[in-house]
Amino acid sequence: MILAVADMAFPAGWIPPYNTLVVAAGVASVGFAAGVVGCFAVLRRRALAGDAAAHATLLGVGLAFLLGGGRRDLPLLLGGALSTAIAALLALVLIGRWTRTRDDAATAIVLGVSFGAGITLLSGISARGIPGSAGLEQFLLGHTAGLTAADAMILGALSLLTVALVALFLKESTLVAFDPLFAAASGWPVTLIDYALVVLVAVMVVVGLPAAGAVLVTALVVIPPVTARQWTDSVGVMLPLAGLFGLVAALSGVAVSSAVPRMPTGPLVVIAASILLTISLLIAPRRGGLARWLRARRTVAAWAEGRLLEVALRLEVQGPFTREQLLAKAPGAAADSAFKRLVRSAAIEPVVTRAGTHAWRLAVWGRELAAERSRRLAAWTEVLEAAREDARGHLTIDVPSPEAILGAARMKAIRESAAAARSASGPA
Amino acid sequence: MSTTSAGLEFHDVTVAYGRRPVLWNVDLTVPGACLFGIIGPNGAGKSTLLKAALGLVPLAGGEVRILGAPLEQVRSRVGYVPQRESVDWDFPVTVTDVVLMGTYARLGWLRRPGPRERSLAAECLDRVGLADVADRQIGRLSGGQQQRVFLARALAQQADVYFLDEPMAGVDARSQERIFRVLSDLRAEGRLVVIVHHDLRSVAEWFDAVALIDMRLVATGPVAEVLTPENLRRTYAGRLDVLDEIGRAVAEGGRTP
């Protein structure tokens, strides 16, 4: 879809001018940096603080515009935005420290007050028709069309700088984000590192303003990290991956908005980011919804099959058994379909009786399967009794072989200690 | 370790949260090289006492000395195992990553762990019996395994004084024994191990000395002398029915270091 729109924007054979290319590169690095920096905001559970900072930027943009005598100079406006963003974060810290207001309430207050003030100021400016104020509302929802190559280079450079800082202090940031108590106890300046990370988020929020706007820029900081977390269990992979998702989201948003006149970039960037997020939430291996659902289903199915085999092994002692007898001894929602699967895989086979009733028995390999499962369960029970931690750490519902997981030597030791315990507690 | 100075000293330590004192006038001296238990009921200020020693809560009064010096001078010789609930176990790091964090303070700013730190981490994991889960994400461990990851990280700090906050919470008997064995080894190597603990039954078996606290210090000294029915009653103020029984059992069978 993005490609199709890009085709609309750039007809075949058309080479984009220098300015377009520079702006695209600048926005790409903004998206990348927002994803990278956002990781620690998400991991440290500070995403909402970033949102408050983002909403406070409008006030700074308006103030800087007035102070600069009505010039629409991007570095000046962003400087103003950064100062009110940091002021908002400071207000959060102070409210937390000196009043008994809870974090979420404090965030909502700072966000609402600063955004309200910002909107009031910008409306006032535009109502007076101050020359040059026409483009200010672009900071509300983002609009990259007006960016010059020089602006884009500044944004790109700031982005790369923040990425470099995060990469440089990756070890320290990870430590503080994971276990601040331990970090403080071993002498790290936790508060300083925490504040530095929050300021980096504020910087990224400001740098992302032209691309996504004050209202939506947090999404660019928060959604890519959450998307990346779906795919990896390692911080070292999560950071670049979040950067990549942010880059793709930012670029596609900008490409689409440049094709449609007067279309703000912010909402498009967020839509692109949330498409990636939705896909990841659904199909990511292990953490994805689909994988979880399948795993839950497979779990129930595997257990039901195992139970049926186990019961069949016991019933079989008295000859062939009926389906009803089997299901009565191993009830459960999944039992019926499990029975069908066992029949289809020929683990259970029909027996022809004189009366013509349907009776069943275990096939040879079904019997082996059932016997092996019973043996494993008995072994796991031993492990559970002698070494509970091992059983709890390793036993899964598909009943794997304990020898394969714990090793033959460990199993032998467990058996011996179980035997010793039995003879110690048994009758003298 | 110097033989003249005590391992850990609290002088008249008072800690307050807001206007409420949670610990007052604690005067406590712990000799070097032993397993020392801080025992008391819920909300007695056990964890707070540990945090006060580590500089994690501000003192309203008094001072703490570790190995005869203020904390700032000996921080690199202090190891810490926080409570397991204090972190998010869904955090995207592996078991080895967490253990390596024990080497960070020694590495200092910007330097990354290298082969030396990695082999130290592997060795520490082996000591607590977790070598086979070294590459697992930390959320995919049982509670006792997570507790041992924290212990391995503390071992990687290569400290002389260890502080452990409820290291046996949610840990089964076998893991508990394994953890206690590692701690005993530390003592045998001449280190001081201070443990916040709540299970009175295992105290007599493993600890050399204890302090009974309930907002103030009730008693301190060798296990057999401290865990008397009278002291337990003053600490738990009738919150346990089995107190006398345990006290008597301790007095009869407890170890005297």
Side-chain angles (χ1 to χ4, degrees), chain B residues 109-145:
Chain B
W109 290 94
L110 300 179
R111 272 178 60 208
R112 301 286 170 90
R116 244 191 35 213
E117 284 73 25
R118 294 198 167 275
S119 79
L120 173 65
E123 193 184 304
C124 295
L125 275 175
D126 198 40
R127 265 179 96 170
V128 301
L130 290 179
D132 55 334
V133 293
D135 297 323
R136 252 198 227 182
Q137 194 265 329
I138 51 170
R140 296 161 66 202
L141 299 174
S142 70
Q145 288 174 321

Side-chain angles (χ1 to χ4, degrees), chain A residues 143-305:
Chain A
H143 199 80
T144 47
L147 282 184
T148 65
D151 291 344
M153 278 184 197
I154 293 173
L155 297 180
L158 276 173
S159 303
L160 296 182
L161 184 72
T162 50
V163 170
L165 280 173
V166 171
L168 206 57
F169 293 101
L170 180 63
K171 179 184 98 207
E172 291 77 9
S173 315
T174 310
L175 175 69
V176 167
F178 172 61
D179 194 346
L181 215 53
F182 178 83
S186 40
W188 293 96
V190 170
T191 315
L192 180 77
I193 296 172
D194 247 345
Y195 284 178
L197 284 173
V198 174
V199 167
L200 278 189
V201 171
V203 169
M204 262 340 288
V205 157
V206 168
V207 172
L209 274 187
V215 182
L216 296 171
V217 69
T218 329
L220 196 55
V221 176
V222 172
I223 297 179
V226 176
T227 311
R229 180 69 184 90
Q230 286 296 111
W231 298 92
T232 176
D233 273 338
S234 150
V235 176
V237 180
M238 182 179 164
L239 264 74
L241 204 55
L244 193 69
F245 287 135
L247 183 152
V248 170
L251 268 189
S252 7
V254 169
V256 176
S257 85
S258 71
V260 184
R262 299 175 65 81
M263 173 74 91
T265 344
L268 295 169
V269 171
V270 173
I271 288 172
S274 46
I275 290 173
L276 290 173
L277 174 68
T278 310
I279 295 172
S280 303
L281 286 177
L282 284 178
I283 68 162
R286 255 180 40 73
R287 291 179 78 91
L290 198 64
R292 279 164 176 269
W293 181 75
L294 280 177
R295 205 155 53 224
R297 247 181 70 113
R298 227 176 292 139
T299 297
V300 174
W303 187 255
E305 281 175 38

Side-chain angles (χ1 to χ4, degrees), chain A residues 40 43-45 166-175 177-182 184-189 192-193 229 232-236 238 286-287 386-390 392-394 405-406 410, chain B residues 51 54 56 75 78 80 82 86-94 98 101-102 104-105 107-113 132-133 136-138 140 142-145 148 150 153-154 157 170-172 174-175:
Chain A
F40 284 109
L43 289 174
R44 191 82 172 93
R45 307 188 174 186
V166 171
L168 206 57
F169 293 101
L170 180 63
K171 179 184 98 207
E172 291 77 9
S173 315
T174 310
L175 175 69
F178 172 61
D179 194 346
L181 215 53
F182 178 83
S186 40
W188 293 96
L192 180 77
I193 296 172
R229 180 69 184 90
T232 176
D233 273 338
S234 150
V235 176
M238 182 179 164
R286 255 180 40 73
R287 291 179 78 91
R388 187 154 176 274
E389 201 66 59
D390 281 323
R392 281 160 48 95
H394 294 292
I405 286 182
L406 299 173
R410 175 99 193 91
Chain B
K51 286 180 180 160
L54 289 159
L56 298 176
R75 220 187 264 274
V78 172
Y80 180 37
S86 64
V87 304
D88 169 17
W89 289 92
D90 194 40
F91 202 90
V93 284
T94 65
V98 173
M101 288 177 187
Y104 283 7
L107 283 169
W109 290 94
L110 300 179
R111 272 178 60 208
R112 301 286 170 90
D132 55 334
V133 293
R136 252 198 227 182
Q137 194 265 329
I138 51 170
R140 296 161 66 202
S142 70
Q145 288 174 321
R148 282 185 278 153
F150 268 5
R153 179 177 67 175
Q157 291 184 284
V171 171
D172 72 19
R174 208 177 67 91
S175 275

Side-chain angles (χ1 to χ4, degrees), chain A residues 407-418:
Chain A
R410 175 99 193 91
M411 270 313 284
K412 189 161 167 267
I414 288 172
R415 288 230 166 81
E416 277 162 11
S417 84

Side-chain angles (χ1 to χ4, degrees), chain A residues 9-30:
Chain A
F10 313 125
W14 180 80
I15 297 161
Y18 170 73
N19 196 71
T20 311
L21 284 178
V22 174
V23 168
V27 168
S29 32
V30 168

